[in-house]
Amino acid sequence: MTLRIHIDDGAPPYEQVRAQISEQARSGALPVGYRLPTVRGLAETLGLAANTVAKAYRALEADGVIETRGRNGTLIAAAGAAEREVASAAQDFASRARRLGLGEEEALAAVRDALRAAYG
């Protein structure tokens, strides 16, 4: 696993860690079951505070990219976990939008706006 933190980058260090691990897991560079370094170990390697790496790991776990197994460590989660979670959220959104009386175009416009806000 190779991570690089760019201080002059506009993104906070925890977001850089999150994005790089997420991309490496998605691309297969980090295979399912790959054991990530401990929070402390990665923080020392990258010259970051442990809380910064812990925040990235929490975000990755919430995204379904990694899973923490207590003393067994933190591993890259089974492929598709993030996609299944997003599909479920999309289904919930579609149901809610319909209940609220939004048409398909209005619902899609709301999603596009949210994605632009999230991805810049």
Side-chain angles (χ1 to χ4, degrees):
M1 178 173 79
T2 303
L3 301 178
R4 288 187 173 75
I5 303 303
H6 303 284
I7 301 303
D8 56 337
D9 188 331
Y14 86 90
E15 178 59 26
Q16 292 180 49
V17 171
R18 187 210 59 76
Q20 290 177 47
I21 291 174
S22 182
E23 174 56 29
Q24 289 180 35
R26 188 193 61 73
S27 72
L30 295 177
V32 171
Y34 177 87
R35 184 178 296 209
L36 294 171
T38 64
V39 167
R40 248 184 223 162
L42 185 56
E44 287 176 16
T45 299
L46 297 174
L48 297 172
N51 285 340
T52 300
V53 174
K55 186 174 181 178
Y57 275 21
R58 284 191 304 272
L60 287 162
E61 190 157 25
D63 291 344
V65 176
I66 65 172
E67 55 187 52
T68 302
R69 295 185 180 167
R71 293 205 174 273
N72 292 326
T74 301
L75 311 171
I76 297 297
E83 289 83 0
R84 285 191 302 274
E85 187 172 337
V86 167
S88 175
Q91 193 65 255
D92 292 344
F93 171 79
S95 297
R96 188 171 184 186
R98 187 166 187 184
R99 257 195 337 272
L100 294 170
L102 294 177
E104 185 177 339
E105 285 306 313
E106 293 169 306
L108 284 171
V111 169
R112 283 187 206 100
D113 290 343
L115 288 170
R116 278 189 209 105
Y119 289 96

